[in-house]
Amino acid sequence: MEISYVRNLLKKAIEQARQRAQTRRQRAAEAERAFATFLETVGVPVTKQVANALKAEGHAFTVFTPGDGLRLAADRSRDDYVDIALDTSGDRPQIVARISRTRGSRTIEEERPLKAGVAPDALTEPDVLDFWLEALEPWLER
């Protein structure tokens, strides 16, 4: 095999990798802006409504908005919470939930998308409410 052929293929691969990286960075920047808007207009308001309804039903939860995220934490245990954050590690940025709950001396952790395949700017209030109803089920069954 000719060295010039190998070098040409390598140059093309380098250029394609750079273009993909630039596209991924642009998507991540757009997703960060969309996530900030999502938090302000949908995520935080719906989560506060859920927390208020939980308190009315005897389940004490508090809403926190640390930095670039959202947390709904049980008042009874510091290890019982649901974090909502933007995951930009993949090709398509998405909002993910990190769920941590305790069962006796064990801590169970889970990570899943808020709604699989949906961009941050496409999530609606019903989507977020559906997520909370499903994610909070382990705490509600006690």
Side-chain angles (χ1 to χ4, degrees):
M1 199 177 295
E2 293 284 326
I3 188 70
S4 61
Y5 176 73
V6 172
R7 288 189 68 212
N8 283 338
L9 288 179
L10 182 62
K11 285 179 183 179
K12 288 179 185 177
I14 290 170
E15 183 60 33
Q16 288 174 349
R18 287 180 180 159
Q19 288 175 353
R20 279 193 303 273
Q22 174 146 359
T23 302
R24 195 171 37 253
R25 285 190 297 271
Q26 288 172 342
R27 280 190 197 135
E30 291 169 5
E32 286 172 3
R33 287 189 294 274
F35 182 62
T37 302
F38 162 79
L39 285 177
E40 184 179 322
T41 60
V42 177
V44 173
V46 171
T47 304
K48 285 183 177 180
Q49 289 177 338
V50 168
N52 288 336
L54 284 166
K55 283 183 184 174
E57 294 299 321
H59 299 279
F61 280 80
T62 303
V63 177
F64 298 95
T65 54
D68 296 335
L70 174 61
R71 176 179 277 202
L72 182 65
D75 290 351
R76 292 188 313 162
S77 172
R78 64 182 173 88
D79 293 327
D80 288 342
Y81 61 85
V82 179
D83 277 337
I84 294 179
L86 181 64
D87 179 11
T88 58
S89 63
D91 280 343
R92 298 278 180 202
Q94 64 180 348
I95 298 176
V96 295
R98 293 176 184 94
I99 303 167
S100 174
R101 66 181 187 275
T102 55
R103 296 290 277 183
S105 62
R106 296 180 314 149
T107 299
I108 302 164
E109 295 183 350
E110 174 187 358
E111 183 173 309
R112 64 181 177 203
L114 196 72
K115 186 168 183 183
V118 178
D121 56 353
L123 286 167
T124 63
E125 290 175 345
D127 293 335
V128 176
L129 182 57
D130 289 344
F131 165 77
W132 283 123
L133 295 175
E134 183 181 327
L136 291 170
E137 187 173 330
W139 288 284
L140 301 177
E141 66 188 19
R142 294 184 196 175

